[in-house]
Amino acid sequence: MINLDSKIPQGPVAEKWSNYKANQKLVNPANKRKLDIIVVGTGLAGASAAASFGEMGFNVKNFTIQDSPRRAHSIAAQGGINAAKNYPNDGDSVHRLFYDTVKGGDYRAREANVHRLAEVSNDIIDQCVAQGVPFAREYGGLLDNRSFGGAQVSRTFYAKGQTGQQLLIGAYQALMRQVNAGTVDLHTRTEIVDIVMVDGKARGVIARDLVTGEFQRHFGHAVVLATGGYGNAFFLSTNAMGSNGSAAIKAYQKGAAFANPCFAQIHPTCIPVHGEFQSKLTLMSESLRNDGRIWVPAKKEDAEAIRAGKLKPTEIAEENRDYYLERRYPAFGNLVPRDVASRAAKERCDAGFGVGTTGLAVYLDFKSSIERLGEDAIRARYGNLFQMYEKIVDDNPYETPMMIYPAIHYTMGGIWVDYELQTSVPGLFAAGEANFSDHGANRLGASALMQGLADGYFVLPYTIQNYLADDISTPRMTGDEKEFVEAEKEAKEKFEKLLSIKGERSVDNLHKELGLVMWDFVGMARNKEGLEQAIEKIANIKKEFYSNVRIPGSGEGMNVELEKASRLADFIDIGDLMARDALHREESCGGHFREEYQTEEGEALRQDDKFAYAGCWEYQGEDKAPVMHKEELTFEVVKVAQRNYK
């Protein structure tokens, strides 16, 4: 039976983090040298955590599947990072950032964690400026801000359209400083294939060298997973193709609760699918919604003519354009949260007003902004994004509106963690997108970078000490202990089993089949019948995978197909978990939209009296249905209400 003690500190929500820090246990510098921490992942959460631990004096082992930490997928977060500094003097505050985040997550996040995130947000900006991150600046020399969805203030700091890349360079520099100092032992092209448990605590990992195929045993007094989300269960998503949920599933199988797996975000601003052989989707930053206006033809015959290639969008008169977000949500307009914007786009396309050859696209138009600000101003703000769009679509967005459509992007669900970011497995922590803690049922734009750096720079350095303070007399393990030997043996057997199948279907072929099931039945809109079908279909895909997958080559040396097969096995389990979670949650909230539960106007309809909790799933064994536990959510500060962006 898992323990879901959230460990929320006493006191008012605005004082909880201060109270925690004032009363936590510490580890003195001499004792830090005796302690080893494993950090899995080198994105913003992983790199910042590993760098911080190393700077503090701990011994750190840091693992990444990439050939360099700089290739972590955090680079793809383009638009910005939120903080409550209120430089524009437009009414922002720590409390308002906290409130917007809880509301934006449709009241399915833990208040205490969200308030802490808002509190440390300003420190993140100061740290990154000190590292040399080239944030944009306004005429007076202060850092510039722009707006993002779900807020009526400008609180998003940005570096052109490459904020994630610039922030990751800062974290990478901090990390490599510690690698050079010898406090961080960096392992590239290495994947974690199991977590080692000793006496009920996480005490290490089994790793596989992706170049040689060799297995390794690594001990740590504590293990931190910062491995991102599981959106690639859908095959087509905005995630890099290597992004996977395998570390999270390994944690789940070792006793860590998996919380709210059905909360997957659909990003409204992606380049539409353009062919059945496509391997991933491209995100166009949400920052574009600052100056771009979203519309479809107001007349169905115009939409039909555009789809037939008989009419161009520039030929549609202004009075014949439906700026549907501005029409439906006048208070927020094009800056409604992502889930709201995504469902609105789907509704227009389903009603027959979609554009492009497939009809599954809407326009993002910069004509008004170019007329108002000039092309040079738009180029300065979004030039690299416009260039990327033109290279992919072969159309000039300065002259012709972009075409966009929603796509799977970010997963709000993840490994359950308490206030200390510790999972239900003692000694196992999770940070960034890998955990479930801060975003509820929908993440506001520009909050992913904020959470990743908050967890790594300003939360884990405190909370992991509180755990390790009781471990200073625990001797290092050699890796020859029976728990390590048995874990390595089990991991090897799993890979040997995959190689022995010798079927007829490629990994990608099976992954695409899973992705179609996920998108059709567990995607933007869900219903009871479809989710029941999804669970059955996923079970059939699992049988087909383990009886008919074809993996060429061997386990010795580099074998990309073997890597993908191992991750697909985990995606199948994740897909099943997502469908089960979506089936049990008989309400609509954030990124989870059940067709049976919507208002007369088509908005998400929550059932707070029944589902104001985190659904936390416990592993029961192979081919056994998981058991769900509840962490009840209480709201002491924010008044729970139906979201309204009108």
Side-chain angles (χ1 to χ4, degrees):
M1 181 74 173
I2 58 176
N3 178 25
L4 294 180
D5 179 8
S6 59
K7 300 179 188 174
I8 298 173
Q10 296 299 312
V13 69
E15 299 175 13
K16 290 183 185 296
W17 183 228
S18 296
N19 290 343
Y20 178 90
K21 291 188 290 183
N23 294 286
Q24 68 162 110
K25 300 172 187 175
L26 298 174
V27 180
N28 79 41
N31 285 332
K32 287 187 177 82
R33 294 192 290 271
K34 302 176 184 177
L35 296 169
D36 300 343
I37 303 175
I38 288 173
V39 179
V40 186
T42 59
L44 287 182
S48 60
S52 297
F53 297 151
E55 183 72 37
M56 294 166 71
F58 292 105
N59 300 293
V60 184
K61 287 186 177 181
N62 192 197
F63 297 87
T64 176
I65 62 173
Q66 311 292 352
D67 52 5
S68 165
R70 282 185 58 179
R71 291 182 65 85
H73 191 56
S74 297
I75 64 167
Q78 304 147 327
I81 176 171
N82 288 330
K85 280 187 171 293
N86 194 30
Y87 284 164
N89 199 28
D90 57 358
D92 203 8
S93 65
V94 166
H95 178 82
R96 186 166 291 279
L97 175 54
F98 156 69
Y99 171 82
D100 286 346
T101 304
V102 173
K103 177 185 176 184
D106 223 350
Y107 308 96
R108 291 294 177 262
R110 191 190 289 150
E111 270 193 345
N113 287 64
V114 176
H115 198 280
R116 177 177 62 190
L117 176 66
E119 285 181 69
V120 304
S121 65
N122 294 341
D123 296 329
I124 296 170
I125 303 303
D126 294 340
Q127 171 115 348
C128 293
V129 170
Q131 289 174 337
V133 173
F135 287 119
R137 294 181 180 268
E138 48 88 44
Y139 74 98
L142 287 177
L143 301 185
D144 199 9
N145 290 100
R146 56 189 179 198
S147 301
F148 256 63
Q152 290 180 303
V153 296
S154 295
R155 65 163 64 103
T156 304
F157 295 79
Y158 65 98
K160 206 170 183 179
Q162 48 186 254
T163 313
Q165 180 177 349
Q166 296 301 328
L167 291 171
L168 187 63
I169 290 172
Y172 167 77
Q173 290 174 153
L175 173 63
M176 295 311 292
R177 179 175 183 269
Q178 297 307 312
V179 171
N180 187 60
T183 62
V184 175
D185 180 15
L186 179 64
H187 296 257
T188 59
R189 299 295 285 134
T190 305
E191 187 160 29
I192 302 308
V193 294
D194 208 354
I195 295 162
V196 181
M197 303 291 295
V198 180
D199 296 329
K201 294 183 177 182
R203 290 299 193 193
V205 298
I206 303 301
R208 181 173 179 271
D209 188 310
L210 296 177
V211 177
T212 66
E214 295 176 353
F215 289 81
Q216 308 163 355
R217 309 169 199 162
H218 296 275
F219 164 77
H221 289 91
V223 178
V224 177
L225 300 182
T227 50
Y230 47 90
N232 274 350
F234 289 78
F235 188 74
L236 285 179
S237 81
T238 66
N239 292 273
M241 291 181 67
S243 299
N244 63 84
S246 291
I249 280 292
K250 299 297 184 287
Y252 164 70
Q253 292 167 345
K254 285 300 170 76
F258 204 118
N260 299 335
C262 77
F263 288 167
Q265 182 169 82
I266 315 290
H267 197 295
T269 318
C270 301
I271 296 178
V273 176
H274 61 256
E276 60 181 286
F277 298 108
Q278 195 167 347
S279 57
K280 76 175 298 294
L281 297 173
T282 302
L283 169 70
M284 298 307 296
S285 170
E286 183 177 320
S287 63
L288 294 170
R289 290 201 275 153
N290 271 284
D291 292 306
R293 300 177 70 193
I294 296 172
W295 64 275
V296 292
K299 297 178 180 179
K300 194 171 289 187
E301 56 266 31
D302 286 346
E304 292 170 351
I306 287 174
R307 293 196 293 270
K310 299 177 181 178
L311 195 63
K312 296 179 180 179
T314 51
E315 296 172 336
I316 304 292
E318 191 70 19
E319 62 270 18
N320 292 327
R321 299 181 178 194
D322 177 17
Y323 295 94
Y324 58 88
L325 291 178
E326 299 171 33
R327 169 173 55 82
R328 291 178 60 176
Y329 309 101
F332 281 73
N334 294 295
L335 290 174
V336 293
R338 291 173 175 178
D339 61 316
V340 177
S342 294
R343 283 196 299 275
K346 181 178 186 298
E347 184 276 328
R348 286 291 79 195
C349 291
D350 289 349
F353 294 90
V355 297
T357 56
T358 64
L360 296 177
V362 299
Y363 288 125
L364 178 61
D365 196 338
F366 289 84
K367 178 175 179 288
S368 297
S369 293
I370 290 174
E371 291 176 350
R372 176 169 52 89
L373 301 170
E375 184 175 318
D376 289 344
I378 298 301
R379 191 179 300 275
R381 292 178 183 178
Y382 313 111
N384 61 311
L385 299 173
F386 278 48
Q387 182 184 48
M388 181 173 68
Y389 180 89
E390 186 169 4
K391 284 185 175 181
I392 294 171
V393 181
D394 193 25
D395 209 351
N396 184 348
Y398 294 101
E399 299 173 357
T400 305
M402 290 183 180
M403 285 193 296
I404 57 170
Y405 194 70
I408 291 290
H409 178 55
Y410 186 96
T411 49
M412 288 74 65
I415 307 170
W416 180 90
V417 292
D418 59 23
Y419 188 75
E420 296 182 320
L421 304 187
Q422 187 168 199
T423 72
S424 52
V425 172
L428 181 64
F429 295 76
E433 190 179 358
N435 74 34
F436 92 111
S437 66
D438 292 357
H439 306 299
N442 173 65
R443 177 176 68 75
L444 292 184
S447 287
L449 303 182
M450 177 174 62
Q451 187 211 350
L453 292 180
D455 288 355
Y457 282 141
F458 297 108
V459 178
L460 279 172
Y462 291 94
T463 63
I464 207 163
Q465 281 194 87
N466 196 54
Y467 171 78
L468 291 174
D470 295 327
D471 246 357
I472 57 177
S473 60
T474 302
R476 291 188 174 96
M477 298 181 185
T478 63
D480 294 327
E481 293 79 7
K482 63 180 177 62
E483 292 88 351
F484 282 84
V485 174
E486 289 172 2
E488 181 184 351
K489 180 174 178 289
E490 289 178 10
K492 285 182 176 179
E493 288 173 349
K494 288 179 181 178
F495 279 86
E496 289 167 359
K497 178 183 178 181
L498 293 175
L499 287 165
S500 69
I501 296 171
K502 301 187 184 304
E504 297 181 353
R505 296 184 63 181
S506 70
V507 176
D508 283 350
N509 182 260
L510 283 162
H511 197 168
K512 287 178 181 179
E513 183 179 345
L514 173 67
L516 285 172
V517 170
M518 294 298 295
W519 181 253
D520 289 343
F521 300 105
V522 201
M524 289 181 68
R526 305 155 177 182
N527 57 59
K528 183 176 185 292
E529 181 182 355
L531 290 166
E532 289 172 342
Q533 286 186 53
I535 293 170
E536 183 179 342
K537 289 176 181 291
I538 292 168
N540 291 334
I541 292 171
K542 186 171 186 175
K543 291 177 184 176
E544 177 73 359
F545 173 80
Y546 281 108
S547 64
N548 200 25
V549 71
R550 181 183 72 248
I551 306 171
S554 70
E556 298 177 2
M558 184 179 291
N559 188 336
V560 176
E561 288 299 305
L562 180 58
E563 287 176 42
K564 292 194 298 185
S566 174
R567 295 168 190 169
L568 177 55
D570 296 327
F571 280 135
I572 292 171
D573 290 340
I574 289 172
D576 176 74
L577 207 53
M578 292 180 73
R580 290 178 186 275
D581 190 44
L583 181 62
H584 109 272
R585 189 170 283 277
E586 295 179 336
E587 66 167 352
S588 292
C589 57
H592 167 66
F593 191 76
R594 283 284 296 268
E595 293 174 340
E596 303 96 324
Y597 304 96
Q598 54 183 303
T599 67
E600 292 181 359
E601 296 176 322
E603 305 293 347
L605 182 63
R606 298 193 320 271
Q607 297 211 70
D608 296 321
D609 58 330
K610 297 179 180 179
F611 294 98
Y613 59 76
C616 308
W617 295 86
E618 181 182 12
Y619 182 67
Q620 298 294 298
E622 187 68 21
D623 296 324
K624 293 182 180 179
V627 173
M628 194 202 72
H629 307 275
K630 301 175 183 178
E631 183 204 341
E632 300 292 341
L633 299 172
T634 57
F635 297 91
E636 301 173 4
V637 178
V638 176
K639 181 181 178 182
V640 178
Q642 188 69 28
R643 280 193 304 169
N644 183 5
Y645 293 98
K646 297 181 178 181

